[in-house]
Amino acid sequence: MTLTPNPLYAAPDDWRAYSGTLSRRVFAFILDYVIILLLCIPAAVILFFLSIVTLGLGFFLYPALFVIVAGLYFGFTVGGSQQASFGMRAMGIAIIRVDGQPMDFLTAIVHLALFWILNSVLTPLILLVGLFTERSRLIHDFLVGTVTVRTA
């Protein structure tokens, strides 16, 4: 019995799967954060009414609203069946794990958290790493064991 993995889950060996992914990631990042900012509007309204019901306790979540919305957004989209957020889908890329396992919610959250931490420390250098590494992988991709591939 032979196992034929889903091509979306297995990291391909063909160099064309990684061609141009770094620039596509930049544009996907911009699209995703516009979507997250738009999602923060209804989340803020819901949190306002939740705060009234909880007698003001919900107001303490407002400083973390962007982080909560972004975490849920990336957790459910990147950790979902498409393994790509809406911005990534628009740019024709997806994130896959190099061990062949599907991306799950927790791995997507860890990937996002490492991106934010490393981006705050190494802001200009985080994209330069992708120019010199195989498959255009960034530092947080190495730490989590993921790679970005083209889907279109």
Side-chain angles (χ1 to χ4, degrees):
M1 181 170 114
T2 58
L3 177 66
T4 55
N6 184 343
L8 185 62
Y9 293 151
D13 293 327
D14 190 4
W15 64 271
R16 292 174 289 193
Y18 309 104
S19 173
T21 57
L22 195 57
S23 59
R24 290 173 184 241
R25 283 179 91 162
V26 172
F27 290 115
F29 170 83
I30 294 168
L31 284 173
D32 284 331
Y33 280 91
V34 167
I35 293 170
I36 290 169
L37 287 174
L38 291 174
L39 288 173
C40 280
I41 296 169
V45 172
I46 291 169
L47 186 57
F48 175 77
F49 289 112
L50 181 69
S51 299
I52 292 173
V53 171
T54 60
L55 302 174
L57 291 177
F59 287 119
F60 290 112
L61 291 176
Y62 271 109
L65 184 65
F66 180 82
V67 174
I68 294 168
V69 170
L72 291 173
Y73 174 77
F74 281 109
F76 285 119
T77 57
V78 175
S81 62
Q82 297 287 325
Q83 295 189 249
S85 62
F86 294 117
M88 291 176 183
R89 290 181 208 167
M91 292 294 113
I93 57 175
I95 295 180
I96 59 173
R97 289 174 45 174
V98 293
D99 62 0
Q101 297 295 318
M103 199 74 162
D104 59 345
F105 184 85
L106 184 61
T107 308
I109 296 295
V110 170
H111 189 270
L112 176 68
L114 283 174
F115 169 73
W116 282 344
I117 292 167
L118 292 171
N119 196 24
S120 65
V121 174
L122 306 169
T123 299
L125 303 175
I126 195 164
L127 290 176
L128 291 177
V129 172
L131 295 174
F132 301 107
T133 58
E134 183 183 12
R135 300 178 183 174
S136 298
R137 293 173 72 186
L138 302 178
I139 298 171
H140 58 285
D141 292 328
F142 284 109
L143 293 174
V144 179
T146 59
V147 65
T148 303
V149 295
R150 293 179 64 159
T151 58

